[in-house]
Amino acid sequence: MRPIRTTAALTLALATLGGTALAGPAQASGRTVFLASAVEHADHTVTLPVHRGRAGGASFWYVVLDASTSGAAQRFGVNRSNKLSNAGSAAQPGHFDHGVLVVGAGVDFRPDRDVGNGVPGSTGEDGYSPLVRLPGGAVIDAPQVANATGRHDKVVGLSAGRVTLRETEGRSRGNVVHYVSTDASKAGPAALEGATLAPRLDRAPRPGADGTDSARASLAAFTNGQVGADNPQ
């Protein structure tokens, strides 16, 4: 298969790792679940707490996957990701109003996803980013998953303060991993991953760099592998 290394800033949350036991809040069936707030299922879906937000007066629902500070990470039961502090203008500003996250831009979930033509199933409004910088300086990865226009393509269930999302399979250091992929800065990767198109993520420093002073990490996507709904591979 031919790998395509994207320059898009993808928002990822590692959910499980098979084969090698790493430190984490929970282990099951030889896997380590890295998010304390997550409940993973055998069908490679994961259930997370869902929170209410508001953009332009309209309500939405979101999850939190990572946070740049220990305080925010503990509040939401997620991992601390130091790189989020480098997000710069890729993050949209936000604040809490009586527990409701208020941001400037939301998501349109109405488009029909078309992977062949590179059409994402959801598109962020002008200025939208899943990364939100709070007044104290903390950055949280808070992708929107539902609003009055519909639901994120990864959502398989939403009720009673919980949302269940499909995971994406990948490889890391020879191990099988499953992760949640919610947003991408380019239409092609967004369509491929079943993610929301969020062009603002392209502002994350720096394209082509994934060092500790960057907000990015490398990811290689494969687009020409085996096909067929009944193909076990």
Side-chain angles (χ1 to χ4, degrees):
M1 293 188 291
R2 182 178 66 256
I4 298 178
R5 184 173 297 280
T6 70
T7 57
L10 295 176
T11 310
L12 306 177
L14 196 62
T16 60
L17 173 64
T20 303
L22 298 181
Q27 295 191 32
S29 302
R31 301 191 306 273
T32 299
V33 180
F34 293 109
L35 298 184
S37 59
V39 177
E40 195 194 28
H41 311 290
D43 61 352
H44 299 312
T45 60
V46 62
T47 298
L48 296 164
V50 69
H51 312 277
R52 182 169 170 259
R54 190 167 65 245
S59 293
F60 64 82
W61 299 97
Y62 69 98
V63 296
V64 179
L65 301 178
D66 301 277
S68 67
T69 66
S70 296
Q74 291 173 1
R75 174 180 178 178
F76 291 103
V78 299
N79 296 326
R80 176 179 175 179
S81 174
N82 293 332
K83 281 194 170 189
L84 286 181
S85 62
N86 301 326
S89 62
Q92 66 170 324
H95 66 277
F96 287 102
D97 180 11
H98 296 89
V100 176
L101 179 64
V102 180
V103 296
V107 175
D108 183 359
F109 291 108
R110 290 173 295 185
D112 292 324
R113 179 186 176 206
D114 183 345
V115 177
N117 291 308
V119 178
S122 51
T123 301
E125 297 172 347
D126 185 34
Y128 166 76
S129 174
L131 306 182
V132 178
R133 188 177 300 278
L134 301 174
V139 176
I140 57 174
D141 180 6
Q144 299 178 23
V145 296
N147 59 30
T149 68
R151 297 180 177 184
H152 195 286
D153 284 341
K154 286 287 196 336
V155 172
V156 296
L158 175 62
S159 64
R162 309 285 288 179
V163 63
T164 300
L165 306 170
R166 293 186 187 90
E167 295 175 320
T168 300
E169 183 178 318
R171 300 291 186 275
S172 177
R173 299 176 182 177
N175 297 295
V176 176
V177 298
H178 291 90
Y179 61 92
V180 177
S181 174
T182 60
D183 300 77
S185 65
K186 301 293 186 185
L192 181 65
E193 292 272 333
T196 295
L197 176 61
R200 185 168 181 155
L201 285 176
D202 244 351
R203 302 182 190 179
R206 298 179 313 272
D210 63 359
T212 57
D213 60 342
S214 169
R216 304 192 183 209
S218 298
L219 177 71
F222 293 86
T223 61
N224 60 340
Q226 299 183 52
V227 297
D230 298 325
N231 187 337
Q233 301 300 322

